[in-house]
Amino acid sequence: MIRLHHVPLGRSFRVLWLMEELGLDFEVAYYSIRDGSMRTPEFRALSPAGRVPALEYGDRVLFESAAILQWLCETHPEPKLQPTPGEAERARYLEFLSYSETIGCLVENLNLNRVFLHDPADASPVVIKLLTARLRAALKAIEERWAQDYCLSTGFSAADVMFAYGFELARYYVRFDEFPKLQAYWDRLKERPAYQRAKARDGEQDLYDRDFYPLPEA
Ligand SMILES: N[C@@H](CCC(=O)N[C@@H](CS)C(=O)NCC(=O)O)C(=O)O
């Protein structure tokens, strides 16, 4: 039995998408960050920090999206979605897995300031501007170096699942017309049947109440 513990639009989408790419048969248990369902002892037994993704896989429970993606690719080596140690693109692969969380953490901090505070007056415009600038810079750095179709020159891999998922959230804070190469790459990934199957199982997000959060005036 494989069961993914998932928040719609959360980082658990990476695992949902990858499992569709691998053609696995799995269940999805849905949560909301807002309703306390991830603060229970039962959920913390699956994921110590009370976060998604958590993956039940037979007798095993895993957390952390990058670790889960790597482990799933090792456990299901066909189709081959990651370079093995020693292969030329392995270093680039590992870089993208980690860089994805550089972007993920910036978005998470923007989310804290912009969508999770009970009183929006507690948000710091200065911090929001700094985080947004850092997010733009992190994306721009890749846009400027982007000279291929996927993260790896060898083609589609779990690095694309890990990295491009971040665009789903970053787009609430930065305009992607600044990043035409990344936008074209993302548009191509969204055409993948496995992505579309994953999207159909993602669920209704309750994080954002508008399409874009412009910088505060002050
Ligand atoms: N580095 C972790 C981050 C996991 C994480 O922070 N997930 C968010 C959803 S995107 C979460 O569960 N947040 C719940 C909370 O902060 O209370 C990963 O990639 O799995």
Side-chain angles (χ1 to χ4, degrees), residues 7 9-12 14 33 38-39 43 47 49-53 63-66 68 101 105 108 111-112 116 162 165 169 207:
V7 166
L9 210 56
R11 287 174 177 91
S12 42
R14 291 168 169 154
I33 294 180
M38 295 161 71
R39 297 282 168 262
F43 187 72
S47 176
R51 293 181 178 219
V52 295
F63 53 91
E64 284 291 331
S65 59
I68 296 173
E101 275 302 271
C105 290
E108 178 177 324
N111 286 345
L112 286 175
F116 285 124
M162 189 74 194
Y165 152 76
L169 307 187
L207 302 176

Coordinates of all heavy atoms in Angstrom, one line a residue, residues 7 9-12 14 33 38-39 43 47 49-53 63-66 68 101 105 108 111-112 116 162 165 169 207, ligand 1:
V7 N -1.2 18.1 0.9 CA -2.0 19.4 1.0 C -2.1 19.9 -0.5 O -1.0 20.0 -1.2 CB -1.2 20.4 1.8 CG1 -1.8 21.8 1.6 CG2 -1.3 20.1 3.3
L9 N -1.7 21.9 -3.6 CA -0.7 22.9 -4.0 C 0.6 22.9 -3.1 O 1.5 23.7 -3.2 CB -1.3 24.3 -4.0 CG -0.7 25.3 -5.0 CD1 -0.7 24.8 -6.4 CD2 -1.5 26.6 -4.9
G10 N 0.6 22.0 -2.1 CA 1.8 21.9 -1.2 C 2.9 21.1 -1.9 O 2.8 20.6 -3.0
R11 N 4.1 21.1 -1.2 CA 5.2 20.4 -1.8 C 5.0 18.9 -2.0 O 5.7 18.2 -2.8 CB 6.4 20.6 -0.8 CG 7.0 22.0 -0.8 CD 8.1 22.0 0.2 NE 8.9 23.1 0.4 CZ 8.6 24.1 1.3 NH1 7.4 24.1 1.9 NH2 9.4 25.0 1.6
S12 N 4.0 18.4 -1.4 CA 3.6 17.0 -1.6 C 3.1 16.8 -3.1 O 3.1 15.6 -3.5 CB 2.5 16.6 -0.6 OG 1.5 17.6 -0.5
R14 N 4.9 17.4 -5.5 CA 6.0 16.9 -6.2 C 5.9 15.3 -6.2 O 6.2 14.7 -7.2 CB 7.3 17.3 -5.5 CG 7.6 18.7 -5.6 CD 8.7 19.1 -4.6 NE 9.3 20.4 -4.9 CZ 9.9 21.2 -3.9 NH1 10.0 20.7 -2.7 NH2 10.4 22.3 -4.2
I33 N -3.4 23.1 5.7 CA -2.5 23.7 6.7 C -3.3 24.5 7.7 O -2.9 24.8 8.8 CB -1.5 24.6 6.0 CG1 -0.6 23.7 5.1 CG2 -0.6 25.4 6.9 CD1 0.5 24.5 4.3
M38 N -2.8 18.8 10.7 CA -1.4 18.4 10.6 C -0.7 18.5 11.9 O 0.5 18.4 12.0 CB -0.7 19.2 9.5 CG -1.3 18.9 8.1 SD -0.9 20.1 6.9 CE 0.9 19.8 6.7
R39 N -1.5 18.9 13.0 CA -0.9 19.1 14.3 C -1.2 18.0 15.2 O -0.9 18.1 16.4 CB -1.4 20.5 14.9 CG -1.0 21.7 14.1 CD 0.5 22.1 14.4 NE 0.9 23.1 13.4 CZ 1.7 22.8 12.4 NH1 2.0 21.6 12.1 NH2 2.1 23.7 11.5
F43 N -0.5 12.5 13.0 CA 0.2 13.0 11.8 C 1.7 13.2 12.1 O 2.5 12.9 11.3 CB -0.5 14.3 11.3 CG 0.2 14.7 10.0 CD1 -0.1 14.0 8.8 CD2 1.1 15.8 9.9 CE1 0.5 14.3 7.6 CE2 1.7 16.1 8.7 CZ 1.4 15.4 7.6
S47 N 5.2 12.5 10.2 CA 6.1 13.6 9.7 C 6.4 14.4 11.0 O 5.6 15.2 11.5 CB 5.3 14.4 8.7 OG 6.1 15.5 8.3
A49 N 7.9 17.2 11.8 CA 7.6 18.6 11.9 C 6.2 18.9 11.5 O 5.8 20.1 11.4 CB 8.6 19.4 11.0
G50 N 5.4 17.9 11.3 CA 4.0 18.2 11.0 C 3.8 18.8 9.6 O 3.0 19.6 9.4
R51 N 4.6 18.3 8.6 CA 4.6 18.9 7.3 C 4.3 17.8 6.2 O 4.5 16.6 6.5 CB 5.9 19.6 7.0 CG 6.1 20.8 7.9 CD 7.4 21.4 7.5 NE 7.6 22.6 8.3 CZ 8.2 23.7 7.9 NH1 8.5 23.8 6.6 NH2 8.3 24.8 8.7
V52 N 3.8 18.3 5.1 CA 3.7 17.4 4.0 C 4.8 17.7 3.0 O 5.3 18.8 2.9 CB 2.3 17.5 3.2 CG1 1.2 17.1 4.2 CG2 2.1 18.9 2.7
P53 N 5.3 16.7 2.2 CA 4.7 15.3 2.1 C 5.1 14.4 3.2 O 6.2 14.5 3.8 CB 5.3 14.8 0.8 CG 6.6 15.5 0.7 CD 6.4 16.9 1.3
F63 N 9.5 11.2 4.9 CA 9.1 12.6 4.8 C 10.2 13.3 4.1 O 11.3 12.8 3.9 CB 8.8 13.2 6.2 CG 9.9 13.1 7.2 CD1 10.9 14.0 7.4 CD2 9.9 12.0 8.0 CE1 11.9 13.9 8.3 CE2 10.8 11.8 9.0 CZ 11.8 12.7 9.1
E64 N 10.0 14.6 3.7 CA 10.9 15.4 2.9 C 10.8 15.1 1.4 O 11.2 14.0 1.0 CB 12.4 15.4 3.4 CG 12.7 16.1 4.6 CD 12.6 17.7 4.5 OE1 12.8 18.2 3.4 OE2 12.2 18.3 5.5
S65 N 10.3 16.0 0.6 CA 10.1 15.8 -0.8 C 11.3 15.3 -1.6 O 11.2 14.4 -2.4 CB 9.4 17.0 -1.4 OG 10.2 18.1 -1.4
A66 N 12.4 15.9 -1.4 CA 13.6 15.6 -2.2 C 14.1 14.1 -1.9 O 14.4 13.4 -2.8 CB 14.8 16.5 -1.9
I68 N 12.1 11.8 -0.7 CA 11.1 10.8 -1.2 C 11.3 10.6 -2.7 O 11.2 9.5 -3.2 CB 9.7 11.3 -0.9 CG1 9.5 11.3 0.6 CG2 8.6 10.4 -1.6 CD1 8.2 12.0 1.1
E101 N 14.6 23.8 -3.0 CA 14.2 24.2 -1.7 C 14.7 25.6 -1.3 O 14.2 26.2 -0.4 CB 14.6 23.2 -0.7 CG 13.6 22.0 -0.6 CD 12.2 22.6 -0.2 OE1 11.9 22.7 1.0 OE2 11.4 22.9 -1.1
C105 N 11.9 27.7 0.2 CA 11.9 28.4 1.5 C 11.6 29.9 1.3 O 10.9 30.5 2.2 CB 13.3 28.2 2.1 SG 13.5 26.6 2.7
E108 N 7.9 30.0 1.0 CA 7.3 29.7 2.3 C 7.3 30.9 3.2 O 6.3 31.2 3.9 CB 8.1 28.5 2.9 CG 7.6 28.2 4.3 CD 8.4 27.0 4.9 OE1 8.8 26.1 4.1 OE2 8.6 27.0 6.1
N111 N 4.7 33.2 2.0 CA 3.4 32.8 2.4 C 3.1 33.1 3.9 O 2.0 33.6 4.2 CB 3.3 31.2 2.3 CG 3.2 30.8 0.8 OD1 2.9 31.6 -0.1 ND2 3.5 29.5 0.6
L112 N 4.1 33.0 4.7 CA 3.9 33.3 6.1 C 3.5 34.8 6.3 O 2.6 35.1 7.0 CB 5.2 33.0 7.0 CG 5.5 31.5 7.2 CD1 6.9 31.4 7.9 CD2 4.4 30.9 8.1
F116 N -0.7 33.7 5.8 CA -1.0 33.0 7.0 C -1.1 33.8 8.2 O -1.7 33.3 9.2 CB 0.1 31.9 7.2 CG -0.1 30.7 6.3 CD1 1.0 30.3 5.5 CD2 -1.3 30.0 6.2 CE1 0.8 29.2 4.6 CE2 -1.4 28.9 5.3 CZ -0.4 28.5 4.6
M162 N 10.8 18.4 -9.1 CA 11.2 19.1 -7.8 C 11.3 20.6 -8.1 O 10.8 21.4 -7.3 CB 12.6 18.6 -7.4 CG 13.1 19.0 -6.1 SD 12.2 18.2 -4.7 CE 12.8 19.2 -3.4
Y165 N 7.8 22.6 -9.8 CA 6.7 22.7 -8.9 C 6.7 24.1 -8.3 O 5.7 24.7 -8.0 CB 6.7 21.6 -7.9 CG 6.0 22.0 -6.6 CD1 4.6 22.1 -6.5 CD2 6.8 22.4 -5.5 CE1 4.0 22.6 -5.4 CE2 6.2 22.9 -4.4 CZ 4.8 23.0 -4.3 OH 4.2 23.5 -3.2
L169 N 3.9 28.2 -7.1 CA 3.7 29.1 -6.0 C 4.4 30.4 -6.2 O 3.9 31.5 -5.9 CB 4.3 28.5 -4.7 CG 3.8 27.0 -4.3 CD1 4.3 26.6 -3.0 CD2 2.3 27.0 -4.4
L207 N -4.9 28.1 0.1 CA -3.8 29.0 0.6 C -4.0 30.4 0.1 O -3.9 31.4 0.9 CB -2.4 28.5 0.1 CG -2.0 27.0 0.4 CD1 -0.7 26.7 -0.2 CD2 -1.9 26.9 1.9
Ligands
LIG1 N1 11.6 20.6 3.0 C1 10.3 20.1 3.1 C2 9.3 21.2 3.4 C3 7.9 20.6 3.7 C4 6.9 21.7 4.0 O1 7.3 22.7 4.6 N2 5.7 21.5 3.6 C5 4.6 22.5 3.8 C6 3.6 22.5 2.7 S1 4.3 23.1 1.2 C7 3.9 22.2 5.1 O2 3.6 21.1 5.3 N3 3.7 23.2 5.9 C8 2.9 23.0 7.1 C9 3.3 24.0 8.2 O3 4.2 24.8 7.9 O4 2.7 24.0 9.2 C10 10.0 19.2 1.9 O5 10.4 19.6 0.8 O6 9.2 18.2 2.0

